[in-house]
């Protein structure tokens, strides 16, 4: 059942009261290359009225800019960024909150819901349409460039203890080591956080053969891209900086050096074993 | 030092011997929607001379087909598919091995390297250029549709014991449970494998509160897409079929029901906790 009220206006209605329902798109633009950005992300960026994001990420999509208003933020202040985006969307605007990689993987999408859940938003902000846009994350790009390290079960762990207590991270590291997962380390190191990666390596050491492949990758898909594959025993954590992602294989992962001298790495799914069992 | 030999031909050289170096691109086309397929994948598919892949995946990119020769395979026989792709590339062709999602995540890229490493290929096959193309995987699309469940450390586990012994899978499940990871289950169930998902749930049960969000998603990005969020205590593994992916939150994940009655879920990164500590 529904009730409907109808009325006739004496003239055309032009001055409508209220504001349209705003929209907040949390957009994963991929690692940086246009070739890895989803068409969905491109279309949402083009149709948005406002772009909110960290300077570097807005630079990466600058070639798409037409009439959008930019709201640039420095590193950090993530919550201020999200609240600003809600504020604009609450005014009926079509807001793109720009993230690198996937919008949910160590980016802003979870924080958008965390802020929404905190009951600190105004009613118009609380009503905005929210859309999360997935994207290719750095671990996927790093694995692809170096072969197929994530060819079997994997996990991602952020080594930043700014928001997560180190004891929780250590528990995850221990679990990932014992579970023999391929592991991607996000936020492995910063200027202030210099010890975490070495501690992580120490936890992994008893569980990984010395020849386990390690991928060290930065600026994926950009002109300054660097990707290097080394054996676990030769990995030097002090080579890693805050723009780098580190992938470590499972005990089954292998390095394969091809005829051109380049090293590739992969984690077999087990077809070779299957054949042996059948013999 | 290098030695160089120069000779003069009596006429234009038109009948060059040998074949060009072939190319094998292992292409992740994303979950199925054109909007989630990377431009890189689209460009490689268009420029390829041959497409090799499972029927359904070739259907998903049929709108890009021009003069490519299709090599369609049924489910299974993954190794035959890879060997066929190497064979074509070994003849100098530009071969697209088509995968859904990300080419490395439970797809064909690792098997390509496994076959290459087996020393069973002919010299021309062994020399082909290999390129892995990352793509948006089903777990990313499922999380995005339902909010931001993968907003903190997560892992993916395939529940198929066709190639991996169940004891290894069980060890990973135990580790993922104790490590409090968000978890994505690939291959949760098939017609023959009906028990694994229930066993996985039993392992997780002591480690996850009854209200932990579970996402059940299938046919992501396609017309028949289904995405549902339920509480762990209400999750029924028999509802899951072989085309479905299942995501289970960590102990920190939350379900948030919005004004429109829809349930979203996310895993906070900890900004709320940080604020409490600062008070």
């Amino acid at each position: 059942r529904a009730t409907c009220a109808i009325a006739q206006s004496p003239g055309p209605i032009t001055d409508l009261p209220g504001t349209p329902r705003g929209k907040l798109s949390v957009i994963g633009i991929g690692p940086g290359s246009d070739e890895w950005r989803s068409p969905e992300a491109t279309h949402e960026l083009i149709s948005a009225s406002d772009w909110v994001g960290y300077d570097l990420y807005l630079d990466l999509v600058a070639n798409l800019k037409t009439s959008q208003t930019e709201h640039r933020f420095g590193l950090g202040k993530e919550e201020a960024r999200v609240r600003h985006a809600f504020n604009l969307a609450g005014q009926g605007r079509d807001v793109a909150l720009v993230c690198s990689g996937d919008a949910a993987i160590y980016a802003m999408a979870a924080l958008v819901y965390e802020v929404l859940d905190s009951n600190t938003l105004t009613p118009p902000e609380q009503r905005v349409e929210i859309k999360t846009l997935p994207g290719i994350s750095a671990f996927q790009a790093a694995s692809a460039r170096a072969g197929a390290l994530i060819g079997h079960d994997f996990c991602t762990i952020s080594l930043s203890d700014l928001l997560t207590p180190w004891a929780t991270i250590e528990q995850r590291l221990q679990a990932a080591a014992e579970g023999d997962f391929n592991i991607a380390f996000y936020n492995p190191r910063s200027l202030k956080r210099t010890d975490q990666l070495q501690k992580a390596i120490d936890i992994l050491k008893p569980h990984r053969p010395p020849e386990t492949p390690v991928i060290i990758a930065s600026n994926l898909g950009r002109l300054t891209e660097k990707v290097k594959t080394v054996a676990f025993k030769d990995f030097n954590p002090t080579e890693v900086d805050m723009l780098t992602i580190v992938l470590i294989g499972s005990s089954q992962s292998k390095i394969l050096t091809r005829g051109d001298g380049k090293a590739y790495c992969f984690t077999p799914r087990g077809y070779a074993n299957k054949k042996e069992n059948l013999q």
Side-chain angles (χ1 to χ4, degrees), chain A:
Chain A
R1 280 196 190 192
T3 306
C4 178
I6 297 175
Q8 192 172 14
S9 163
I13 304 177
T14 53
D15 189 23
L16 281 167
T19 48
R21 189 189 182 201
K23 184 173 167 189
L24 173 49
S25 300
V26 199
I27 302 184
I29 61 167
S33 156
D34 286 2
E35 283 286 286
W36 283 338
R37 189 180 59 235
S38 77
E40 182 185 42
T42 299
H43 298 151
E44 289 276 359
L45 283 165
I46 289 171
S47 65
S49 61
D50 295 79
W51 287 356
V52 178
Y54 170 44
D55 271 323
L56 171 67
Y57 303 156
L58 295 196
D59 290 344
L60 287 171
V61 294
N63 58 340
L64 299 177
K65 189 172 183 304
T66 51
S67 62
Q68 298 85 356
T69 308
E70 293 195 347
H71 307 261
R72 288 177 170 255
F73 286 75
L75 261 190
K77 306 238 166 121
E78 285 83 3
E79 191 173 333
R81 237 186 282 176
V82 166
R83 288 189 181 275
H84 190 69
F86 266 116
N87 182 269
L88 292 165
Q91 295 167 38
R93 302 186 67 86
D94 185 344
V95 182
L97 183 57
V98 183
C99 309
S100 80
D102 184 292
I105 300 179
Y106 308 116
M108 312 294 282
L111 183 54
V112 162
Y113 284 94
E114 199 172 354
V115 167
L116 184 67
D117 193 37
S118 68
N119 291 318
T120 55
L121 296 176
T122 64
E125 289 170 356
Q126 226 148 4
R127 277 193 297 270
V128 302
E129 180 190 348
I130 300 174
K131 191 174 176 184
T132 310
L133 276 72
I136 291 168
S137 189
F139 81 90
Q140 296 168 288
S143 169
R145 286 290 200 234
L149 193 72
I150 54 172
H152 210 315
D153 305 338
F154 64 87
C155 67
T156 68
I157 300 177
S158 167
L159 293 183
S160 168
D161 58 355
L162 292 176
L163 297 172
T164 305
W166 179 251
T168 305
I169 299 173
E170 218 160 37
Q171 183 191 343
R172 290 225 169 100
L173 288 166
Q174 196 66 46
E178 287 168 13
D180 201 22
F181 285 97
N182 296 297
I183 307 172
F185 289 134
Y186 280 72
N187 309 311
R189 197 185 169 96
S190 75
L191 287 176
K192 288 184 186 171
R193 294 182 306 97
T194 55
D195 297 339
Q196 283 86 349
L197 185 55
Q198 183 58 55
K199 284 185 195 165
I201 295 301
D202 293 342
I203 291 171
L204 279 176
K205 214 167 200 172
H207 303 270
R208 294 293 184 276
E211 296 302 330
T212 303
V214 176
I215 302 172
I216 307 146
S218 55
N219 293 306
L220 289 151
R222 304 175 200 162
L223 285 174
T224 47
E225 172 175 303
K226 274 192 203 165
V227 181
K228 195 171 141 184
T229 301
V230 299
F232 188 72
K233 64 175 168 50
D234 301 322
F235 174 55
N236 177 1
T238 64
E239 269 183 48
V240 172
D241 65 22
M242 64 180 293
L243 295 171
T244 301
I245 180 168
V246 176
L247 271 65
I248 298 185
S250 78
S251 70
Q252 302 304 304
S253 306
K254 284 185 167 187
I255 296 180
L256 171 66
T257 304
R258 297 199 65 192
D260 61 4
K262 281 192 198 148
Y264 295 83
C265 57
F266 68 103
T267 306
R269 292 187 68 189
Y271 288 91
N273 291 342
K274 198 186 174 192
K275 226 176 307 170
E276 280 167 32
N277 294 340
L278 291 175
Q279 280 170 352

